[in-house]
Structure formats: C-alpha cells, structure tokens
Amino acid sequence: MSIAIFIPSRGRSDIIMDTTLPLLKGFADKGVPINICVRDEDFKDYEYLHHNEEYNTYLRKVSSKIGIGEKRAYITNVLAKEDKVDYILQMDDDISSVIDGNGEALSPEEIYSLVISIADELEERDAYYGGIAPYENSFYYKNTITETLKYIIGAFQVIRISDRKPISVDYKHFEDYIYCMEYFLRDGKIIRLNNYGIKTKYFNPVGGICEYYDGLEKRIKEADEKADEICEKYKGMVTKYLKKKSSRVPECINLKLNYRFKVPQDN
C-alpha cells in the first residue's frame, strides 16, 4: 500500500509548522511524502518547507483561481494520480490534535496507524472515501465503523485512488458535506470510524477560507446563501439548521446529513 499526505494551505505558513506537521511525524519517519499545496503567490512564504527533511515536506502549486472544493478535486484527481499512490490523506493545515475514544490526543505513530486502519477498511469494504467524526467531545464517540451517510470532516479524509468516475466539487463552503454525498451516491457507502475526532479551530480567521472572503462575516453570509442551494440540489440527503454560538463557533447556518438515506437502485 502506497500513501501520501496532501495539505491545502493558504496564509498559514507559520501555523502549519506549529500545529499540523508535528502530528504527521509518524508518516515522515516512514518516508511518506507530505505535500503542502499552495498558490504561486504564497510560495515564498512557504519556501522554508520545500524539501524539509524533518517532515519530508514538498511544496506543490495549485491555482489561485479555484476554491477549496476544486483544490481537493485537483489533489485527488490530478496530483495523487501523477504520484501513482494508492491512498491519500487530505488534512487541514491547522489541526491541533486527533482525539480517541478516551478523549486522549493520539501520538504521531497512532495517527499513522489510524490512517492505515481507515485505508484497510476502504479496501475490505470496497469503498473509496473514509475518515472520522467532526467533533472533539469523546462523549459522543462510539466504537463502531459505519457505511452510512455520516458526515466525514474534510479536515481529515482518507481517499482511495481509483479509475472510477472522478468526483469534483466547486463549492467553497460545505464542500466536505458535498464530497460525502457525492461519494455516497457513486459508491453506495462512505466509511467513518466513529471512535475518533479532531481538535481544530473552526472558522479560523487567519488564512484559509476566511482570507478568501476577506473576513469571517462575509464567509458566514456566503455559507447561509449556499445552504439552501445545496439542500435543494441534494433533497433527502441533507438539511440545514441554525447552529448556536459556542466557545468554538459563532452562530451560523450549518448542514446535517441524513444517515438513513439510501441510494436509489436506479441511480
């Protein structure tokens, strides 16, 4: 099994070194390439990570004209195939930790083992998209593996590279919800390990999509507008709701996948 890491990043050249890369040391120690995908105009800010020996990092250029959904598609459908790898982990650039069922942060070696376990499940279950839960509170974790339409957070997704019909999403908001639905429609299943989650800074105002929209307020407004469009396009698969303000997120419109949804047999 060959595997590579891909991290789309924007405006976080200092954050990525302090947060995400240390989590991936288990991969680097085994010679797994860690590809950081940046725009041309950001290359100089990230140049210190090009061929970084400690983390086995490489800079890969992506177009500045496309949003996160299209970047993820470019990584999966172009870069991963160019590299001829069997599996990729697409990971956000500001994850603080990966959490297990006991609420403990996984070590870099344990994160490596977790990704290999997800890849093994994809192989055994003839699936192509897998990952973990979107929350850090282990109270909600269950020691189960599901094939239903449960939300897999885009910040930590394992993809099995194949010659099946490519999936591409052009949304800049909720793109990971749409990827879950599109893979489910194509393959009839997505694989989630429900005993793991992540700790991250949601709606991070530094870099990323907030930088793309020139601020958090504009990002939230755009997300609200897109939610109705997505719910209409994927009727029966997703609904929207108002997520209350908390210490982790501002009040905003969010989506919820219908885990009971079944792919029509004539699909």
Side-chain angles (χ1 to χ4, degrees), residues 73-224:
Y74 182 73
I75 288 169
T76 302
N77 301 326
V78 178
L79 296 183
K81 289 186 175 180
E82 286 179 355
D83 294 356
K84 298 180 179 179
V85 293
D86 301 318
Y87 293 89
I88 63 171
L89 167 66
Q90 282 207 51
M91 191 169 175
D92 275 7
D93 57 4
D94 58 351
I95 290 180
S96 302
S97 56
V98 180
I99 308 298
D100 68 12
N102 296 315
E104 301 292 332
L106 299 185
S107 69
E109 281 293 333
E110 289 171 330
I111 294 173
Y112 173 83
S113 296
L114 171 61
V115 172
I116 297 302
S117 295
I118 296 172
D120 286 341
E121 291 293 337
L122 293 177
E123 185 81 30
E124 292 174 10
R125 296 169 183 261
D126 191 27
Y128 294 82
Y129 191 77
I132 57 179
Y135 34 78
E136 63 184 84
N137 188 343
S138 61
F139 176 80
Y140 298 104
Y141 293 169
K142 294 182 179 180
N143 192 22
T144 59
I145 300 173
T146 49
E147 299 182 355
T148 55
L149 184 58
K150 283 183 174 289
Y151 172 51
I152 293 168
I153 191 164
F156 194 95
Q157 54 180 277
V158 180
I159 301 170
R160 181 181 171 193
I161 306 303
S162 73
D163 293 326
R164 291 195 171 195
K165 178 183 177 182
I167 291 175
S168 181
V169 172
D170 60 6
Y171 281 82
K172 303 173 185 68
H173 288 287
F174 304 126
E175 97 289 338
D176 46 359
Y177 286 87
I178 300 173
Y179 273 114
C180 288
M181 291 187 285
E182 287 290 340
Y183 273 97
F184 194 82
L185 287 170
R186 191 193 72 178
D187 303 325
K189 65 187 77 171
I190 56 176
I191 307 304
R192 196 176 91 172
L193 276 66
N194 299 307
N195 206 31
Y196 299 91
I198 66 164
K199 184 176 182 180
T200 189
K201 189 173 184 180
Y202 293 97
F203 293 93
N204 190 344
V206 179
I209 195 170
C210 282
E211 180 181 291
Y212 182 93
Y213 280 101
D214 194 28
L216 177 59
E217 184 176 340
K218 289 184 179 179
R219 175 186 176 179
I220 291 175
K221 181 181 178 182
E222 175 76 5
D224 191 0

Side-chain angles (χ1 to χ4, degrees), residues 221-248:
K221 181 181 178 182
E222 175 76 5
D224 191 0
E225 293 171 354
K226 290 297 180 182
D228 286 329
E229 180 182 319
I230 293 168
C231 290
E232 177 65 24
K233 183 176 181 180
Y234 296 94
K235 280 186 177 179
M237 300 183 76
V238 62
T239 55
K240 75 170 188 177
Y241 69 98
L242 181 64
K243 190 176 184 68
K244 294 181 179 179
K245 181 180 179 180
S246 70
S247 60
R248 296 167 59 234

